[in-house]
Amino acid sequence: MRFSLSTLLVVVTLFSAWFASVHHKATQQRSAVAWLSGLHTGVWRYDSQDQSLGFVDPSNAVPSGIIEQFLGPHYAHDVEEVLVYDPQLGSLERIAMLRSLKTLDVGSELPLDLTPVSRLSRLTRLTVHAERIDSLRPLHKMSNLKTVLLVDTRVDRHEIRALQAARPEMQVQLVP
């Protein structure tokens, strides 16, 4: 088998582009996890962790493969679930960096803008406990989102009706 130099260059270029994408995702996830660990309460679960165990301390985890052993968990696993409560949490931008997130439970004593959440295309469950949400419109086109629970959060009834009209199959629950 003989390969030309141009074939080798194409293969190296494609591998470099793929690895740059993986590295970018891992860097964003590492940054978001570092931010979460500095909050009042911020816990997360990787896709490799058993859901039935709840949230386990990632510092006690034993690397499960060569990639994780050499590069760390952010190259080998995705953060799948986040539970965060911080009284001063005002933005969900850093959480939106966790593109593989499926479950988000967020609490704050400030109003929250859900616009960054709309970038979480894999999100299936969202629980919000906040002072207020002005608009649920960012959730209208989230096709994987199945459940929205709003706990002690002021939301205009028109916003809830508009979300239910846009996504009738979605469970939307407001708990006083």
Side-chain angles (χ1 to χ4, degrees):
M1 277 172 98
R2 295 181 64 174
F3 295 100
S4 68
L5 184 58
S6 59
T7 302
L8 178 62
L9 284 172
V10 167
V11 169
V12 168
T13 301
L14 289 173
F15 176 78
S16 298
W18 170 80
F19 188 75
S21 170
V22 168
H23 177 69
H24 177 72
K25 181 181 175 189
T27 302
Q28 282 194 313
Q29 183 170 280
R30 183 183 305 116
S31 173
V33 164
W35 172 76
L36 279 170
S37 66
L39 290 177
H40 186 273
T41 300
V43 291
W44 59 95
R45 187 182 58 75
Y46 292 103
D47 57 2
S48 60
Q49 296 170 323
D50 186 357
Q51 240 181 334
S52 66
L53 299 176
F55 294 100
V56 296
D57 185 354
S59 64
N60 294 334
V62 176
S64 62
I66 293 173
I67 293 174
E68 185 176 1
Q69 203 169 20
F70 288 109
L71 298 176
H74 303 293
Y75 285 89
H77 307 290
D78 294 321
V79 172
E80 194 171 74
E81 186 173 0
V82 167
L83 169 66
V84 60
Y85 173 76
D86 191 301
Q88 298 305 307
L89 181 65
S91 171
L92 300 176
E93 283 296 331
R94 295 242 177 129
I95 293 171
M97 293 173 17
L98 300 168
R99 300 301 178 134
S100 297
L101 205 59
K102 292 182 179 178
T103 302
L104 175 59
D105 190 330
V106 62
S108 176
E109 293 178 9
L110 300 175
L112 285 177
D113 176 13
L114 296 180
T115 302
V117 172
S118 66
R119 296 194 300 265
L120 299 172
S121 62
R122 296 182 184 178
L123 196 68
T124 59
R125 291 182 310 206
L126 173 65
T127 301
V128 179
H129 180 141
E131 191 263 324
R132 174 182 87 244
I133 295 174
D134 290 330
S135 176
L136 296 174
R137 186 161 298 282
L139 308 180
H140 286 210
K141 293 186 179 177
M142 294 184 68
S143 59
N144 286 327
L145 189 60
K146 305 295 180 222
T147 305
V148 175
L149 178 61
L150 305 168
V151 181
D152 293 328
T153 303
R154 287 185 306 168
V155 180
D156 188 298
R157 295 281 180 193
H158 298 293
E159 286 291 323
I160 294 173
R161 282 195 285 276
L163 178 59
Q164 289 171 328
R167 297 285 313 285
E169 75 286 359
M170 183 188 294
Q171 271 188 317
V172 180
Q173 192 173 10
L174 183 63
V175 179

